Amino acid sequence: MLRQYELVERVQSYDPDADEVLLNRAYVYTVQKHGSQKRASGDPYFSHPIEVAGLITDLKLDQDTVICALLHDTVEDTLATIEDVEANFGPDVARLVDGVTKLSKIEQLTDDERAAENLRKFLLAMSEDIRVLLVKLADRLHNMRTLHFIRSPDKRQRIARETMDIYAPLAERVGMYEYMREMQLLAFEQLEPEAYATITGRLEQIRSSDEGQVDAIALKIKQALAEAGIRVELSGREKHPYSIWRKMAERHVSFEQISDIMAFRIITENVEDCYRVLGVLHQVWQFVPGRFKDYISTPKTNGYRSLHTTLIYENSMRVEVQIRTREMHRRNEFGLAAHWAYKQDDRPDGQVGWLRDLIEIVDASHDAEELLEHTRLAIYSDRIFAFTPKGALFQLPKGSTPVDFAFAVHTDLGAQTVGAKINGRHMPLRTPLNNGDVVEIIKGKNSEPQLSWLGFVVTGKARASIRRAVRAKEREEVASIGRKMFDDIAERVPAKIGRKAIKAAVERLELENEDELMYAMGSAKLSDREVMEALVPGSTADLPELPPQGRAISIKGLTPGMGFTLAACCHPVPGDRIVGLKRPGAGVEVHAIDCLELASGIDADWVDLSWGERSQGAVGRLRVVLYHRTGTLAEMAAIFAQNRANVINLELTQRDDPFHTYDADLEVQDLAHLTRIVSALRASEAVAQAERI
């Protein structure tokens, strides 16, 4: 553990103007506040914040960040308050400490909800000052170093999983690769102990039996570069155990089949030498196609810059090489922390693009599960590069589609997407993008995000935005149905209903406003009797049965799957006599009046519905029995096309030679349209039988 004077000396070594008195006061403050508290290791608790402060000084961060590291657990784990911290150390330190402080004392939340709330607060604080993240990462790294002292295996696993899913990717996204690698290694040891032991054991065997192979390869590379007149620093190592394990899992191969275990790093004087080194290496040794990456001309979103290539060395051994300047290396290993090092003039403000996306995800996420899912999607690192037609570059996760690209450009563009061109060709919106694709988004003024997009988008920002838009539309349409139900109920109560009565009913039902009332009715959270009683207290006391519904409620203009759902058992289409079933939380389910399944909904509230004048568009289902002859399936398809019916789904349900039975789901305008199709099928020589089901 760092002593008081050692910590002060560390800070003053890179910041001679640091306030020694304030640093000493912070050191003493954390020792006094944590007092006799002990860690799982048996060490005094205050040793943890002091070691975290030491990690912060290794990064050469400013005085306020060091003090925040010393105090980061005082508010959570002692009687100290944010007001105390502000009074003693100023508002900036207090703001940083408050940002790092977790909400782990919220006992009533589930593990996921608690993790989501911690993450929500953390991301919002991080958006205001990126130093919150830097302290949090140092805090998590030291906790991982001492994780083995925790007795509970379940708790160790939970902390390790959280580190692997959230904090290691966050460290990568801000370019702190040293932190990321150590977190991954320590988490890997807890999550996959057998794999960890096997891989580290094999690496140790290689290390002890390679007879200086790493040094020999390094010498050959140095000689080749020296002959070209290039001076470099070179270091070699085995690859990270977790990186090897992940590669084994992704490629489904054994350790022996992993050929590129050796990795070398070359540090040059300037950018020109980086490319000269690359040219020499590719002349002397064959490189592996597809494994060259130029992150100097096209840096990663976290600012990482380097050349990566893989060479085929003697005996078909693959050797990975990274080439960078000394300044690139410093910023690559410590990322944003390097920008925040004391006296730097180009400090980022924390509002980098990916961080803004995270904050948008926080705002859009509906619950704990969504927040954690979207955030994990947003911070994972495997990336591709795609361009707008004007040449703007966007980095996206592998597997991203044009919809992900559109939301990355701007949320409004994503919402208005109706089509896309990839490299000048019209392509489906679910098409995965490749490196270097030029993507042109086609938008429509009145278009909206589609629920079906959730089946193929991969970015957290896209998923969060689509879900938010779909929920808003669903709520709007459910409330619209609720409004129509309310109007019908208002006509059935024995009094005239005005704004005052509605306001009073909202208060009696303990709802926030009138919109909440309409939504509660549309989603069947309130019964007709409850609403009547709230509007006119006592009006239902002597009524064994409520007055019948006065008029059918129109569903024209509403979207199936939003304000209502069309029952899959009877597939009603405009022109059918329809009725709705209200079930709490499930909204209104629309059935044809003669549906055999209605008997199962006898205990639900029934609603008299109508399609509305000239309503068009629904999916009808037909069962068609074809003669098993060449061309009969084509003839059935031709009948569908001639009658302008789009086939949504076609399934062969039974083979009973000489007959084949198909169930076909068709987009039709109304009942008359569906009837014409059935008549055309029955008139065909290819069709033995056709009926609606």
Side-chain angles (χ1 to χ4, degrees):
M1 183 177 71
L2 280 174
R3 296 181 180 180
Q4 187 171 335
Y5 74 89
E6 291 174 328
L7 181 66
V8 174
E9 286 177 354
R10 281 198 184 194
V11 178
Q12 290 183 329
S13 68
Y14 60 84
D15 178 13
D17 299 326
D19 189 335
E20 181 177 349
V21 173
L22 199 61
L23 287 166
N24 281 324
R25 189 193 308 161
Y27 191 104
V28 172
Y29 187 88
T30 195
V31 171
Q32 289 178 339
K33 290 298 180 182
H34 288 293
S36 60
Q37 292 176 347
K38 297 287 185 182
R39 304 199 81 214
S41 62
D43 294 332
Y45 190 92
F46 56 74
S47 65
H48 166 66
I50 290 170
E51 290 300 324
V52 173
L55 290 171
I56 295 299
T57 62
D58 290 339
L59 300 173
K60 295 182 171 55
L61 296 181
D62 63 301
Q63 174 182 293
D64 283 353
T65 313
V66 175
I67 295 174
C68 171
L70 286 169
L71 308 179
H72 75 272
D73 275 338
T74 53
V75 173
E76 180 184 345
D77 295 327
T78 77
L79 297 177
T81 64
I82 287 295
E83 291 72 24
D84 292 337
V85 173
E86 183 171 352
N88 283 281
F89 304 100
D92 287 343
V93 171
R95 178 171 48 79
L96 291 174
V97 171
D98 187 47
V100 180
T101 299
K102 301 184 296 294
L103 299 179
S104 57
K105 293 182 180 179
I106 305 179
E107 297 297 336
Q108 67 270 27
L109 298 181
T110 65
D111 285 344
D112 270 358
E113 287 172 331
R114 189 181 302 115
E117 280 304 314
N118 290 340
L119 186 60
R120 186 188 301 273
K121 183 183 181 189
F122 173 51
L123 292 174
L124 291 172
M126 187 173 72
S127 71
E128 297 175 2
D129 196 324
I130 200 67
R131 290 175 295 175
V132 168
L133 173 59
L134 304 182
V135 174
K136 185 62 182 175
L137 291 177
D139 170 47
R140 179 50 62 114
L141 179 59
H142 186 257
N143 280 331
M144 289 301 296
R145 287 175 177 176
T146 58
L147 185 61
H148 58 281
F149 288 113
I150 295 177
R151 293 183 180 179
S152 168
D154 290 343
K155 187 174 182 181
R156 290 200 305 270
Q157 288 261 327
R158 178 181 61 77
I159 295 171
R161 174 53 58 196
E162 186 179 65
T163 300
M164 190 70 87
D165 287 349
I166 299 295
Y167 292 103
L170 274 174
E172 190 274 338
R173 288 310 303 270
V174 295
M176 297 180 70
Y177 284 90
E178 283 292 331
Y179 277 39
M180 178 200 74
R181 282 190 285 266
E182 188 173 351
M183 284 184 191
Q184 286 178 338
L185 182 64
L186 294 168
F188 177 44
E189 182 179 6
Q190 295 295 331
L191 296 172
E192 300 287 345
E194 292 183 6
Y196 173 84
T198 300
I199 292 175
T200 52
R202 294 287 289 113
L203 289 175
E204 184 59 38
Q205 289 177 7
I206 292 172
R207 201 175 297 120
S208 60
S209 63
D210 71 356
E211 299 176 350
Q213 189 175 30
V214 172
D215 293 338
I217 296 173
L219 181 60
K220 284 280 187 73
I221 293 175
K222 272 192 170 182
Q223 287 175 344
L225 295 176
E227 290 173 5
I230 308 173
R231 295 177 56 189
V232 299
E233 295 177 15
L234 189 147
S235 60
R237 57 176 173 79
E238 296 93 0
K239 278 197 170 180
H240 193 273
Y242 173 68
S243 173
I244 294 173
W245 179 81
R246 189 168 63 178
K247 190 169 291 186
M248 289 167 60
E250 288 174 352
R251 299 181 184 176
H252 304 288
V253 296
S254 66
F255 184 94
E256 287 70 23
Q257 293 172 288
I258 299 290
S259 55
D260 51 344
I261 291 175
M262 300 290 184
F264 293 85
R265 183 172 294 145
I266 298 175
I267 307 296
T268 69
E269 293 297 323
N270 51 56
V271 174
E272 291 77 10
D273 282 350
C274 289
Y275 289 99
R276 289 179 63 202
V277 166
L278 180 70
V280 171
L281 295 181
H282 284 187
Q283 283 179 345
V284 176
W285 293 283
Q286 182 182 353
F287 83 100
V288 179
R291 295 295 301 275
F292 167 65
K293 293 185 176 111
D294 186 347
Y295 293 121
I296 292 180
S297 65
T298 310
K300 292 185 180 182
T301 51
N302 58 18
Y304 179 92
R305 301 180 72 204
S306 183
L307 298 176
H308 289 195
T309 189
T310 300
L311 307 176
I312 300 179
Y313 196 68
E314 298 170 3
N315 302 320
S316 299
M317 177 189 296
R318 293 188 178 196
V319 175
E320 183 180 292
V321 182
Q322 300 174 353
I323 310 165
R324 62 186 63 161
T325 67
R326 189 170 285 103
E327 178 61 19
M328 287 178 197
H329 179 61
R330 184 178 72 86
R331 299 202 175 198
N332 287 352
E333 294 305 289
F334 299 107
L336 281 178
H339 290 274
W340 261 101
Y342 191 76
K343 300 287 188 185
Q344 287 290 320
D345 296 326
D346 59 345
R347 292 177 177 175
D349 62 2
Q351 289 287 359
V352 287
W354 68 271
L355 187 50
R356 285 196 296 271
D357 287 350
L358 283 182
I359 302 310
E360 191 169 329
I361 286 170
V362 169
D363 293 338
S365 296
H366 180 250
D367 54 29
E369 184 178 347
E370 275 192 18
L371 176 60
L372 292 172
E373 175 200 349
H374 296 158
T375 305
R376 287 167 183 159
L377 287 171
I379 62 182
Y380 279 121
S381 58
D382 290 339
R383 319 296 284 175
I384 59 146
F385 301 89
F387 297 86
T388 67
K390 293 184 178 180
L393 173 67
F394 288 87
Q395 297 187 37
L396 298 163
K398 287 182 180 177
S400 291
T401 64
V403 176
D404 294 295
F405 181 87
F407 277 104
V409 175
H410 198 281
T411 304
D412 290 343
L413 178 62
Q416 296 174 352
T417 298
V418 294
K421 290 182 180 179
I422 302 176
N423 302 322
R425 294 179 57 197
H426 281 282
M427 298 295 287
L429 288 178
R430 63 174 59 245
T431 305
L433 299 177
N434 295 311
N435 258 325
D437 281 347
V438 177
V439 184
E440 180 183 351
I441 299 299
I442 303 167
K443 62 180 184 178
K445 290 183 179 179
N446 300 318
S447 60
E448 297 174 327
Q450 303 299 307
L451 184 62
S452 60
W453 291 356
L454 291 174
F456 57 79
V457 295
V458 301
T459 60
K461 182 178 181 180
R463 295 188 77 83
S465 299
I466 293 166
R467 280 175 171 162
R468 177 170 58 181
V470 168
R471 275 196 301 268
K473 183 174 178 61
E474 179 182 14
R475 187 175 184 85
E476 177 186 330
E477 295 203 1
V478 168
S480 176
I481 284 186
R483 169 70 67 181
K484 295 173 182 179
M485 293 177 178
F486 177 85
D487 290 342
D488 179 75
I489 290 173
E491 292 180 1
R492 287 187 272 161
V493 297
K496 186 175 182 180
I497 304 301
R499 306 299 305 174
K500 187 176 179 181
I502 296 174
K503 184 178 179 181
V506 168
E507 292 177 358
R508 291 187 187 105
L509 294 168
E510 298 181 349
L511 300 172
E512 291 185 11
N513 50 47
E514 187 176 328
D515 288 340
E516 287 290 323
L517 172 60
M518 303 309 165
Y519 179 76
M521 290 198 63
S523 56
K525 293 178 180 178
L526 291 174
S527 67
D528 291 3
R529 182 178 291 273
E530 288 174 308
V531 176
M532 283 186 175
E533 187 64 25
L535 287 170
V536 182
S539 60
T540 64
D542 299 326
L543 294 176
E545 292 186 5
L546 297 182
Q549 184 177 331
R551 59 186 176 187
I553 293 172
S554 170
I555 57 173
K556 183 182 179 182
L558 302 181
T559 309
M562 295 290 182
F564 64 92
T565 57
L566 293 172
C569 49
C570 54
H571 292 277
V573 298
D576 285 328
R577 177 76 174 85
I578 53 175
V579 67
L581 297 183
K582 288 197 299 179
R583 294 190 178 93
V588 177
E589 186 177 75
V590 180
H591 291 258
I593 195 69
D594 56 355
C595 176
L596 298 177
E597 297 294 323
L598 278 179
S600 65
I602 199 70
D603 294 330
D605 288 337
W606 290 48
V607 185
D608 188 11
L609 299 178
S610 72
W611 292 100
E613 290 186 12
R614 292 185 293 278
S615 288
Q616 289 188 342
V619 175
R621 175 168 292 181
L622 300 181
R623 178 158 292 161
V624 184
V625 180
L626 297 178
Y627 291 106
H628 183 34
R629 298 195 298 260
T630 302
T632 55
L633 183 60
E635 188 167 340
M636 178 178 70
I639 292 171
F640 294 155
Q642 290 164 7
N643 284 275
R644 299 185 181 277
N646 190 33
V647 180
I648 301 300
N649 187 50
L650 182 65
E651 181 182 5
L652 175 62
T653 59
Q654 187 174 341
R655 295 173 184 266
D656 187 15
D657 286 337
F659 303 105
H660 282 185
T661 302
Y662 292 88
D663 284 355
D665 292 343
L666 307 176
E667 278 186 344
V668 295
Q669 296 176 355
D670 51 27
L671 181 59
H673 186 196
L674 188 60
T675 302
R676 287 198 303 273
I677 295 170
V678 173
S679 298
L681 288 168
R682 289 172 176 172
S684 170
E685 294 292 332
V687 179
Q689 185 178 346
E691 61 182 349
R692 182 183 177 189
I693 58 172

